């Protein structure tokens, strides 16, 4: 295990622009030592720029970057206690696996016998014993990935930066490397800052995630927090899928309220839903909620809905079999179409296309989003 | 026909090689064979060839003759190779930083700079070499400037230095262009990786950039060395008796002396030495990966 308080990262009002494109816009972030932290967002959101600012390859236009409380803004890459696993691994093609791994130690003036010992340890850690004398071109993608990891970790940095390291691997290998990465991080106990556009990857690996868009941080939290309480429409849409429901508050009773859902057309009786409102005081404004597809229950039309749940009548528009789930599109009585996910389990009724259904959902699953 | 040849014969694309092959056979191999034949003959007093088949021309090249001008062919051969090697080294020394800067400059600058490298080719090589003569000889630009500044005489014309200057000038683009191409397509993240792993810019350069630009160094060196070793315009115009090169000797034998057999033998020795040295060079730098 590394020492406990190494690898603490603080970004304060960091800004970086390329010409008039602002890649990183006033980003403030605290990453505690020893966390597996992901920067998640679509391409061009500024996540890689943030990583490069930390690695020292870019100089911020404004703001402060501190590692373990010390400003590193003016330190060049080779003076930072931070190593990077590059997207295409960036292994030195003219060196063997062992020479690649030894490079960082050599540059730091570690004596020869110790280099040999630590290279062997690092290669063992990533399961590459026996490949010391190969050239990178003679390795598979997964093996190259491991060499890159061993090379970055062998000099025991306090922070490892990973720039979409699994992006060029096929799905099966990617899943396996995800598990290995997670185990490796637990083993070495240093901060991993992981950049990815793959929300599933970020969710399964990270202790905490920062979702980015247009150079700005949208939300920071644990994977659960971000999934369960997305702050805005972008996060709710980017992490998993959401049905976006708009409504006007017509009644409020403490933390509970009633909204009249905005449909595609008016119905004789407006569709209403109970919702939970935490600390917000809306006044007849149009509110937007996220409702996750798996939190909606479909029932035969004549059943009594569970107590305390909202309900609406609908009709199945389409059904897609996904293996573990069925994905339905349901048209509600007011014309709204919602995506619904029902587990492929015997206890859940199945519906054919055009079947009439009762749609039910809980007030607490209606997540109010910031506009 | 061997199976390999039969397989090759079925490859329809081989027909694309025919025009170049015909050209090479007719205009390169056949004349080369003729020159090879000439090199074993002697010369009639009127300059025509006497078909005598002997090794005299080769022996004459290797035997230092004191009473004849130029006095010593071995010295000329060694000087040619030495000046070519020096030219290659200087081109590498001057060309590498330029090619590096070129590969790292913005796209807008890059085109301009590549143009600057290529522009000299728009003017005849002979004219450009004459221009150097005006710069280097007595009361030329450099001499005038040096004298005007009270630095004394500065006449390089007629010296080996002048020849090397002219050769470096003439062949520098052949070094820069292949270096530029390898440096330009080099994955820049490799250098970042070196910095990231604690290498200072200087060490990253020697440990990563230079080894990875080896194909460019090899190509550039060969492209400069071969024409330098056989140069005759530059030594003739910028050099003197003390800087005579083998190419100049060949040219002289064919034109002024009209001893075609001896000129042919000198040409063959030059070709053989250059091939040998290039082969040794390839082996030394491990060109199998090139």
């Amino acid at each position: 295990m590394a020492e406990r308080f190494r690898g603490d990262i603080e970004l304060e009002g960091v800004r970086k622009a390329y010409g008039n494109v602002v890649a990183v816009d006033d980003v403030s972030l605290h990453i505690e030592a020893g966390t597996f932290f992901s920067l998640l967002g679509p391409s061009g959101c500024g996540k890689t720029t943030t990583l490069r600012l930390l690695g020292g390859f870019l100089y911020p236009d404004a703001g402060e970057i501190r590692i373990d409380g010390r400003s590193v803004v003016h330190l060049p890459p080779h003076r930072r206690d931070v190593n990077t696993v590059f997207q295409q691994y960036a292994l030195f093609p003219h060196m063997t696996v062992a020479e690649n791994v030894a490079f960082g130690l050599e540059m730091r003036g570690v004596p020869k016998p110790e280099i040999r010992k630590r290279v062997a340890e690092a290669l063992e850690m990533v399961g590459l014993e026996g490949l010391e004398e190969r050239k990178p071109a003679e390795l598979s993608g997964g093996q190259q990935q491991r060499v890159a990891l061993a090379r970055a970790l062998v000099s025991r940095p306090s922070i490892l930066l990973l720039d979409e390291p699994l992006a060029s691997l096929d799905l099966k290998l990617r899943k396996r490397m995800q598990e290995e990465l997670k185990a490796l991080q637990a083993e070495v106990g240093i901060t991993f800052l992981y950049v990815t556009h793959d929300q599933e990857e970020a969710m399964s690996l990270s202790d905490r995630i920062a979702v980015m868009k247009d150079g700005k941080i949208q939300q920071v939290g644990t994977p659960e927090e971000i999934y369960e309480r997305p702050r805005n429409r972008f996060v709710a849409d980017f992490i998993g899928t959401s049905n976006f429901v708009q409504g006007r508050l017509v009644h409020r009773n403490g933390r509970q309220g009633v909204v009249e859902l905005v449909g595609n057309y008016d119905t004789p009786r407006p569709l209403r839903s109970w919702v939970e409102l935490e600390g917000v005081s809306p006044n007849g404004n149009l509110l937007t909620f996220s409702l996750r597809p798996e939190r909606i229950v479909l029932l035969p039309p004549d059943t009594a809905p569970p107590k305390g749940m909202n309900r609406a009548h609908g009709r199945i528009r389409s059904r897609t079999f996904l293996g573990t789930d069925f994905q339905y599109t349901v048209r509600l009585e007011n014309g709204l179409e919602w995506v619904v996910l029902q587990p492929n389990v015997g206890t859940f009724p199945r519906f054919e296309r055009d079947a009439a259904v009762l749609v039910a959902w809980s007030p607490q699953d209606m997540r109010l989003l910031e506009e | 026909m061997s199976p390999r040849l039969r397989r090759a014969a079925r490859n329809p694309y081989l027909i694309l090689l025919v025009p170049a092959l015909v050209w090479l056979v007719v205009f390169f191999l056949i004349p080369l064979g003729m020159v090879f034949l000439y090199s074993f003959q002697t010369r009639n007093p009127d300059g025509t060839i006497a078909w005598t088949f002997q090794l005299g021309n080769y022996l004459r090249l290797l035997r230092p003759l004191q009473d004849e001008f130029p006095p010593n062919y071995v010295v000329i051969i060694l000087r040619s190779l030495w000046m070519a090697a020096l030219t290659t080294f200087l081109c590498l020394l001057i060309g590498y930083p330029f090619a590096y800067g070129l590969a790292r400059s913005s796209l807008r600058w890059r085109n301009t700079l590549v143009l600057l490298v290529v522009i000299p080719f728009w003017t005849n090589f002979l004219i450009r070499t004459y221009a150097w003569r005006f710069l280097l000889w007595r009361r030329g630009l450099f001499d005038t400037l040096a004298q005007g500044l009270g630095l004394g005489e500065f006449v390089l014309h007629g010296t080996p230095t002048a020849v090397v200057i002219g050769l470096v000038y003439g062949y520098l683009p052949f070094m820069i262009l292949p270096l530029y191409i390898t440096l330009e397509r080099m994955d820049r993240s490799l250098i970042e990786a070196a910095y990231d792993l604690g290498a200072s810019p200087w060490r990253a350069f020697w440990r990563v950039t230079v080894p990875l630009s080896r194909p460019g160094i090899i190509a550039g060196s060969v492209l400069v060395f071969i024409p330098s070793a056989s140069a005759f315009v530059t030594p003739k115009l910028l050099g003197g008796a003390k800087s005579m090169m083998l190419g100049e000797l060949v040219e002289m034998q064919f034109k002024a002396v009209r001893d075609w057999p001896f000129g042919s033998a000198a040409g063959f020795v030059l070709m053989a030495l250059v091939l040998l040295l290039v082969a040794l060079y390839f082996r030394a730098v491990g060109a199998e990966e090139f």
Side-chain angles (χ1 to χ4, degrees), chain B residues 120 122-134 169 233 237:
Chain B
W122 296 358
T123 314
N124 184 287
F125 185 65
L126 199 62
I127 293 171
R128 287 183 281 138
T129 310
Y130 265 110
W132 270 106
R133 222 161 112 116
F134 287 118
Y169 163 78
V233 171
L237 292 185

Side-chain angles (χ1 to χ4, degrees), chain A residues 52 78 83-84 94 106 108, chain B residues 190 192 195-197 199 207:
Chain A
R52 291 173 62 76
H78 64 280
N83 283 351
T84 309
H94 57 299
E106 244 177 85
R108 286 174 167 83
Chain B
L190 293 174
E192 288 190 349
Y195 294 160
D196 188 72
L197 292 165
R207 289 294 305 275

Side-chain angles (χ1 to χ4, degrees), chain A residues 173-355:
Chain A
L173 190 56
R174 195 154 71 221
K175 292 274 176 231
R176 210 173 74 210
M177 288 304 295
Q178 282 178 10
E179 283 168 31
E180 287 186 21
L181 269 179
K182 184 108 178 127
L184 197 62
Q185 194 265 340
E187 190 187 324
V188 295
I190 63 169
T191 310
F192 274 37
L193 183 57
Y194 193 92
V195 157
T196 180
H197 66 269
D198 182 338
Q199 47 111 359
E200 224 174 287
E201 198 167 281
M203 298 271 272
S204 62
L205 286 172
S206 320
D207 298 320
R208 288 170 75 75
I209 297 174
V211 183
M212 286 186 81
K213 181 203 173 198
D214 298 335
K216 288 196 174 78
I217 301 227
Q218 304 294 309
Q219 190 172 359
V220 184
T222 66
E224 258 181 81
E225 281 166 2
I226 286 184
Y227 187 82
E228 298 292 354
R229 290 194 290 281
R231 248 184 62 196
N232 57 31
R233 199 180 175 115
F234 175 79
V235 175
D237 199 30
F238 195 75
I239 313 285
T241 32
S242 282
N243 294 297
F244 292 106
V245 187
Q246 289 194 309
R248 276 179 210 287
L249 193 68
V250 291
H251 172 72
R252 177 151 197 180
N253 179 13
R255 289 188 53 199
Q256 300 253 309
V258 176
V259 289
E260 226 172 76
L261 302 188
V262 178
N264 288 347
Y265 38 81
D266 290 331
T267 44
R269 193 170 53 87
L271 200 51
R272 293 184 165 191
S273 170
W274 282 93
V275 295
E276 281 191 8
L277 302 162
E278 300 163 25
V280 193
S281 55
N283 39 15
N285 278 350
L286 197 59
L287 303 175
T288 305
F289 299 87
S290 147
L291 180 59
R292 298 289 187 188
E294 73 277 13
R295 300 296 165 83
I296 303 172
V297 184
L298 297 183
L299 297 162
D302 46 355
T303 31
K307 245 182 112 64
M309 280 182 96
N310 299 297
R311 80 199 74 158
H313 289 284
R315 198 167 280 280
I316 304 287
R317 297 279 295 162
S318 72
R319 183 177 86 171
T320 312
F321 180 55
L322 300 178
T324 55
D325 298 281
F326 282 99
Q327 183 185 299
Y328 297 98
T329 313
V330 183
R331 173 170 286 185
L332 302 186
E333 49 200 281
N334 64 357
L336 282 182
E337 286 196 358
W338 285 359
V339 177
V340 181
L341 219 53
Q342 301 289 278
N344 180 12
V345 176
T347 49
F348 282 81
R350 288 180 197 177
F351 301 95
E352 299 300 326
R353 210 188 120 120
D354 286 332

Side-chain angles (χ1 to χ4, degrees), chain A residues 2-34:
Chain A
E3 300 128 72
R4 275 197 66 183
F5 297 106
R6 280 178 67 221
D8 186 274
I9 304 169
E10 282 169 286
L11 301 177
E12 223 180 84
V14 172
R15 188 189 140 91
K16 177 75 192 173
Y18 302 104
N20 26 4
V21 182
V22 182
V24 171
D25 194 358
D26 192 26
V27 164
S28 295
L29 201 59
H30 180 211
I31 301 169
E32 275 176 52

